[in-house]
Amino acid sequence: RQGGAVATMIGGLVSVHVLAGVQTASRDVAEQVVLLGVALAIGLISEVLAARLAALSRARRETTEHASLLTAVATAARKVTALDPQRVLEAVTEAALELGFDMAEICVLTDDGSTIAPVVQRGWPAHHPPASQPADSGVAGQAVGRAELVVVPDYQSWEHALDVHLSTGIARSAASAPIRDGDRVVAVLTVANHEPRDLTTYERDCLELLATQAGVALQNAHA
């Protein structure tokens, strides 16, 4: 009987110890869950903050880039006040290079509108032929036909690419903006890069602004 009582006592003590251990373990688990929740919350907050900082940094870069592009356009605007059409076209072409393009040229339409020929070129290699071409060919021809900005991010796979550019690989991306004299397209401003890439909204806007400036200057010169 005494042995049974001792066993019962020992069993009770063991049970109390086990229960205490379970309670302690439960508290540990609960604390770990709380800590894990805090860590996840901090991680989410950090991720959100990192995303916000990245967005702010990107916005700042874009603003700086936009300001730089507009500065180039404004500089060109001051130059195109000259009445000499050649000087005007040269100023616009050089400003296009300052926007970040590798090559730039201005092509004018012949009187009958059947062909276009470059009159100013900057950045093109010596073996790039300044020859006339049909008014509906290449990126310049597309800009004439559509009377709007045409952008070709991957020129080598473009269906209207000129053979001379495909064979030499000079232009890997290109864009062309029409230059108007009143309602009539009289020339095109074409830019190109050695690598494939699309244009940002700012670059598109500035390219069209340069073409507009060239058109206004040409109108003034003709007047």
Side-chain angles (χ1 to χ4, degrees), residues 17-54:
H17 180 73
V18 169
L19 288 174
V22 169
Q23 291 175 350
T24 301
S26 298
R27 286 196 301 271
D28 291 342
V29 170
E31 291 175 357
Q32 291 176 6
V33 169
V34 171
L35 291 175
L36 180 59
V38 172
L40 289 174
I42 293 175
L44 290 174
I45 293 173
S46 299
E47 184 176 351
V48 171
L49 289 176
R52 289 291 301 276
L53 288 174

Side-chain angles (χ1 to χ4, degrees), residues 2 4 26 29 31 39 41 50 52 62 97 128 131 137-138 142 154 168 186 188 207 223:
Q2 289 179 350
S26 298
V29 170
E31 291 175 357
R52 289 291 301 276
E62 291 178 353
L97 290 182
H128 175 68
S137 63
Q142 290 292 310
D154 186 0
T168 61
V186 296
V188 284
L207 202 58

Side-chain angles (χ1 to χ4, degrees), residues 115-158:
T115 60
I116 52 179
V119 293
V120 179
Q121 292 181 316
R122 293 289 185 274
W124 295 93
H127 62 275
H128 175 68
S132 61
Q133 63 190 54
D136 59 350
S137 63
V139 64
Q142 290 292 310
V144 171
R146 301 182 192 178
E148 64 182 12
L149 175 67
V150 175
V151 179
V152 183
D154 186 0
Y155 190 89
Q156 296 295 307
S157 63
W158 188 46

